[in-house]
Amino acid sequence: QVQLVESGGGVVQAGESLRLSCAASSRIFSSNFMGWYRQAPGKQRELVARIISTGSTNYADSVKGRFTISRDNAKNTVYLQMNSLKPEDTAVYYCNANNYGVVSWGQGTQVIVSS
């Protein structure tokens, strides 16, 4: 049973924008933390941004000021607005839910930023 479904990836040029979406089941969307991770070829998966159920957000230093995470409670969806994209943002982006240690992952969506 798929519980996290990402969409919105694609190929863009440096400086352009993309918005990723993560549709979650109601049970998963109520998790304490919802976030986005990414994994570039040959690198470890890293946290990009996360949003806590209270609405507080955290960002990796590399994306601060360019990316914004948000959630639409009516749609059980988490978004990642990515602006001023750079080639180093190229990766597979994964939606993540963490409810006090119970972790769920989406299947990932590819983002490619060309220079």
Short mmCIF file of all heavy atoms in Angstrom, two decimals, residues 9-44:
data_model
loop_
_atom_site.label_atom_id
_atom_site.label_comp_id
_atom_site.label_asym_id
_atom_site.label_seq_id
_atom_site.Cartn_x
_atom_site.Cartn_y
_atom_site.Cartn_z
N GLY A 9 8.99 16.39 -10.23
CA GLY A 9 10.37 16.46 -10.67
C GLY A 9 10.47 16.71 -12.16
O GLY A 9 9.47 16.68 -12.88
N GLY A 10 11.67 16.97 -12.62
CA GLY A 10 11.87 17.20 -14.04
C GLY A 10 13.25 17.74 -14.32
O GLY A 10 14.14 17.72 -13.46
N VAL A 11 13.40 18.21 -15.54
CA VAL A 11 14.68 18.77 -16.00
C VAL A 11 14.50 20.26 -16.21
O VAL A 11 13.60 20.68 -16.95
CB VAL A 11 15.14 18.10 -17.30
CG1 VAL A 11 16.48 18.69 -17.75
CG2 VAL A 11 15.25 16.59 -17.13
N VAL A 12 15.33 21.05 -15.55
CA VAL A 12 15.26 22.50 -15.68
C VAL A 12 16.67 23.05 -15.84
O VAL A 12 17.66 22.36 -15.60
CB VAL A 12 14.59 23.16 -14.46
CG1 VAL A 12 13.14 22.71 -14.32
CG2 VAL A 12 15.37 22.86 -13.19
N GLN A 13 16.74 24.31 -16.21
CA GLN A 13 18.02 24.98 -16.30
C GLN A 13 18.31 25.71 -14.99
O GLN A 13 17.41 26.03 -14.22
CB GLN A 13 18.02 25.97 -17.46
CG GLN A 13 17.93 25.29 -18.83
CD GLN A 13 18.22 26.26 -19.96
OE1 GLN A 13 18.06 27.46 -19.82
NE2 GLN A 13 18.65 25.72 -21.09
N ALA A 14 19.58 25.95 -14.76
CA ALA A 14 19.99 26.67 -13.56
C ALA A 14 19.25 28.01 -13.48
O ALA A 14 19.09 28.70 -14.50
CB ALA A 14 21.49 26.90 -13.58
N GLY A 15 18.79 28.33 -12.27
CA GLY A 15 18.05 29.57 -12.05
C GLY A 15 16.55 29.42 -12.12
O GLY A 15 15.82 30.31 -11.67
N GLU A 16 16.09 28.30 -12.67
CA GLU A 16 14.65 28.08 -12.78
C GLU A 16 14.08 27.48 -11.50
O GLU A 16 14.83 27.23 -10.53
CB GLU A 16 14.35 27.21 -13.98
CG GLU A 16 14.70 27.89 -15.31
CD GLU A 16 14.31 27.05 -16.52
OE1 GLU A 16 14.14 25.83 -16.37
OE2 GLU A 16 14.19 27.64 -17.60
N SER A 17 12.78 27.24 -11.52
CA SER A 17 12.08 26.76 -10.32
C SER A 17 11.32 25.47 -10.61
O SER A 17 10.95 25.19 -11.75
CB SER A 17 11.09 27.82 -9.82
OG SER A 17 11.75 29.02 -9.48
N LEU A 18 11.09 24.71 -9.55
CA LEU A 18 10.24 23.54 -9.58
C LEU A 18 9.49 23.45 -8.26
O LEU A 18 10.00 23.92 -7.23
CB LEU A 18 11.05 22.25 -9.75
CG LEU A 18 11.52 21.82 -11.13
CD1 LEU A 18 12.41 20.59 -11.02
CD2 LEU A 18 10.35 21.55 -12.06
N ARG A 19 8.32 22.83 -8.31
CA ARG A 19 7.60 22.56 -7.07
C ARG A 19 7.33 21.06 -6.99
O ARG A 19 6.67 20.50 -7.87
CB ARG A 19 6.29 23.33 -6.98
CG ARG A 19 5.66 23.20 -5.58
CD ARG A 19 4.39 23.99 -5.43
NE ARG A 19 3.24 23.35 -6.05
CZ ARG A 19 1.98 23.61 -5.73
NH1 ARG A 19 1.71 24.48 -4.76
NH2 ARG A 19 0.99 23.00 -6.36
N LEU A 20 7.82 20.46 -5.95
CA LEU A 20 7.56 19.05 -5.69
C LEU A 20 6.36 18.91 -4.77
O LEU A 20 6.15 19.73 -3.88
CB LEU A 20 8.78 18.38 -5.05
CG LEU A 20 10.12 18.52 -5.78
CD1 LEU A 20 11.20 17.73 -5.03
CD2 LEU A 20 10.00 18.06 -7.21
N SER A 21 5.60 17.85 -5.01
CA SER A 21 4.44 17.56 -4.17
C SER A 21 4.56 16.16 -3.60
O SER A 21 5.09 15.27 -4.26
CB SER A 21 3.14 17.66 -5.00
OG SER A 21 2.97 18.95 -5.53
N CYS A 22 4.06 15.99 -2.41
CA CYS A 22 4.04 14.67 -1.77
C CYS A 22 2.65 14.45 -1.20
O CYS A 22 2.29 15.10 -0.21
CB CYS A 22 5.10 14.58 -0.69
SG CYS A 22 5.02 13.07 0.30
N ALA A 23 1.91 13.58 -1.83
CA ALA A 23 0.57 13.25 -1.35
C ALA A 23 0.66 12.08 -0.39
O ALA A 23 1.29 11.06 -0.69
CB ALA A 23 -0.33 12.90 -2.53
N ALA A 24 0.06 12.25 0.77
CA ALA A 24 0.18 11.24 1.82
C ALA A 24 -1.19 10.73 2.25
O ALA A 24 -2.19 11.45 2.11
CB ALA A 24 0.92 11.83 3.03
N SER A 25 -1.20 9.53 2.76
CA SER A 25 -2.43 9.03 3.36
C SER A 25 -2.69 9.85 4.63
O SER A 25 -1.77 10.46 5.18
CB SER A 25 -2.29 7.55 3.70
OG SER A 25 -1.28 7.37 4.69
N SER A 26 -3.92 9.85 5.07
CA SER A 26 -4.27 10.66 6.25
C SER A 26 -3.45 10.26 7.46
O SER A 26 -2.98 11.10 8.23
CB SER A 26 -5.76 10.49 6.55
OG SER A 26 -6.54 10.99 5.50
N ARG A 27 -3.26 8.95 7.60
CA ARG A 27 -2.52 8.47 8.77
C ARG A 27 -1.08 8.94 8.73
O ARG A 27 -0.53 9.39 9.73
CB ARG A 27 -2.58 6.94 8.83
CG ARG A 27 -1.86 6.35 10.04
CD ARG A 27 -2.00 4.83 10.05
NE ARG A 27 -1.32 4.21 8.95
CZ ARG A 27 -0.03 3.92 8.96
NH1 ARG A 27 0.71 4.24 10.00
NH2 ARG A 27 0.52 3.34 7.91
N ILE A 28 -0.47 8.86 7.56
CA ILE A 28 0.94 9.27 7.42
C ILE A 28 1.07 10.77 7.55
O ILE A 28 2.02 11.29 8.13
CB ILE A 28 1.51 8.78 6.08
CG1 ILE A 28 1.57 7.25 6.07
CG2 ILE A 28 2.88 9.38 5.84
CD1 ILE A 28 2.48 6.67 7.12
N PHE A 29 0.12 11.52 7.01
CA PHE A 29 0.22 12.98 7.02
C PHE A 29 0.17 13.52 8.43
O PHE A 29 0.64 14.62 8.70
CB PHE A 29 -0.91 13.58 6.18
CG PHE A 29 -0.75 15.04 5.92
CD1 PHE A 29 0.20 15.50 5.01
CD2 PHE A 29 -1.53 15.98 6.58
CE1 PHE A 29 0.35 16.85 4.76
CE2 PHE A 29 -1.39 17.33 6.35
CZ PHE A 29 -0.44 17.76 5.44
N SER A 30 -0.38 12.76 9.35
CA SER A 30 -0.43 13.22 10.74
C SER A 30 0.87 12.99 11.50
O SER A 30 0.96 13.26 12.68
CB SER A 30 -1.58 12.50 11.47
OG SER A 30 -1.32 11.11 11.54
N SER A 31 1.87 12.50 10.80
CA SER A 31 3.17 12.25 11.43
C SER A 31 3.74 13.53 12.03
O SER A 31 3.47 14.63 11.55
CB SER A 31 4.16 11.69 10.41
OG SER A 31 3.76 10.42 9.96
N ASN A 32 4.56 13.37 13.02
CA ASN A 32 5.16 14.51 13.70
C ASN A 32 6.05 15.33 12.75
O ASN A 32 6.06 16.55 12.78
CB ASN A 32 5.96 14.03 14.89
CG ASN A 32 6.31 15.16 15.84
OD1 ASN A 32 5.56 16.11 15.99
ND2 ASN A 32 7.46 15.07 16.46
N PHE A 33 6.82 14.64 11.91
CA PHE A 33 7.71 15.30 10.96
C PHE A 33 7.36 14.83 9.54
O PHE A 33 7.21 13.64 9.30
CB PHE A 33 9.17 14.95 11.22
CG PHE A 33 9.71 15.43 12.53
CD1 PHE A 33 9.70 14.62 13.64
CD2 PHE A 33 10.25 16.70 12.63
CE1 PHE A 33 10.20 15.06 14.85
CE2 PHE A 33 10.76 17.15 13.85
CZ PHE A 33 10.74 16.33 14.95
N MET A 34 7.28 15.78 8.65
CA MET A 34 7.21 15.49 7.22
C MET A 34 8.37 16.24 6.57
O MET A 34 8.64 17.39 6.94
CB MET A 34 5.90 15.97 6.62
CG MET A 34 4.66 15.27 7.12
SD MET A 34 4.51 13.57 6.51
CE MET A 34 4.33 13.84 4.75
N GLY A 35 9.04 15.59 5.65
CA GLY A 35 10.19 16.27 5.09
C GLY A 35 10.58 15.79 3.71
O GLY A 35 9.96 14.86 3.16
N TRP A 36 11.58 16.44 3.18
CA TRP A 36 12.15 16.08 1.89
C TRP A 36 13.64 15.80 2.08
O TRP A 36 14.34 16.57 2.73
CB TRP A 36 12.00 17.21 0.88
CG TRP A 36 10.59 17.41 0.43
CD1 TRP A 36 9.67 18.26 0.94
CD2 TRP A 36 9.95 16.73 -0.66
NE1 TRP A 36 8.49 18.15 0.25
CE2 TRP A 36 8.63 17.22 -0.73
CE3 TRP A 36 10.35 15.77 -1.57
CZ2 TRP A 36 7.72 16.78 -1.70
CZ3 TRP A 36 9.46 15.32 -2.53
CH2 TRP A 36 8.15 15.82 -2.59
N TYR A 37 14.07 14.70 1.52
CA TYR A 37 15.47 14.32 1.46
C TYR A 37 15.87 14.24 0.00
O TYR A 37 15.02 14.14 -0.88
CB TYR A 37 15.71 12.96 2.13
CG TYR A 37 15.67 12.98 3.63
CD1 TYR A 37 14.46 13.18 4.31
CD2 TYR A 37 16.81 12.77 4.39
CE1 TYR A 37 14.42 13.18 5.69
CE2 TYR A 37 16.78 12.76 5.77
CZ TYR A 37 15.58 12.97 6.41
OH TYR A 37 15.55 12.97 7.79
N ARG A 38 17.17 14.24 -0.25
CA ARG A 38 17.64 14.03 -1.62
C ARG A 38 18.90 13.19 -1.61
O ARG A 38 19.64 13.17 -0.63
CB ARG A 38 17.89 15.36 -2.33
CG ARG A 38 19.06 16.18 -1.78
CD ARG A 38 19.10 17.53 -2.47
NE ARG A 38 20.21 18.35 -1.97
CZ ARG A 38 20.39 19.62 -2.31
NH1 ARG A 38 19.55 20.22 -3.13
NH2 ARG A 38 21.42 20.30 -1.82
N GLN A 39 19.10 12.52 -2.72
CA GLN A 39 20.29 11.69 -2.88
C GLN A 39 20.84 11.87 -4.28
O GLN A 39 20.18 11.53 -5.27
CB GLN A 39 19.99 10.22 -2.62
CG GLN A 39 21.23 9.34 -2.58
CD GLN A 39 20.94 7.98 -1.99
OE1 GLN A 39 19.80 7.53 -1.93
NE2 GLN A 39 21.99 7.29 -1.56
N ALA A 40 22.04 12.42 -4.33
CA ALA A 40 22.73 12.60 -5.61
C ALA A 40 23.56 11.34 -5.88
O ALA A 40 23.92 10.62 -4.96
CB ALA A 40 23.61 13.83 -5.54
N PRO A 41 23.89 11.10 -7.14
CA PRO A 41 24.69 9.92 -7.48
C PRO A 41 25.99 9.88 -6.69
O PRO A 41 26.72 10.86 -6.63
CB PRO A 41 24.95 10.10 -8.97
CG PRO A 41 23.82 10.92 -9.45
CD PRO A 41 23.49 11.86 -8.33
N GLY A 42 26.26 8.74 -6.07
CA GLY A 42 27.49 8.57 -5.33
C GLY A 42 27.53 9.25 -3.97
O GLY A 42 28.57 9.25 -3.30
N LYS A 43 26.41 9.83 -3.57
CA LYS A 43 26.38 10.53 -2.28
C LYS A 43 25.33 9.94 -1.37
O LYS A 43 24.42 9.24 -1.81
CB LYS A 43 26.12 12.03 -2.50
CG LYS A 43 27.22 12.74 -3.25
CD LYS A 43 26.98 14.23 -3.27
CE LYS A 43 28.11 14.96 -3.94
NZ LYS A 43 27.90 16.45 -3.94
N GLN A 44 25.45 10.26 -0.10
CA GLN A 44 24.48 9.78 0.87
C GLN A 44 23.21 10.62 0.79
O GLN A 44 23.23 11.78 0.37
CB GLN A 44 25.06 9.87 2.29
CG GLN A 44 26.16 8.85 2.56
CD GLN A 44 26.57 8.83 4.02
OE1 GLN A 44 26.50 9.85 4.71
NE2 GLN A 44 26.98 7.68 4.51
#
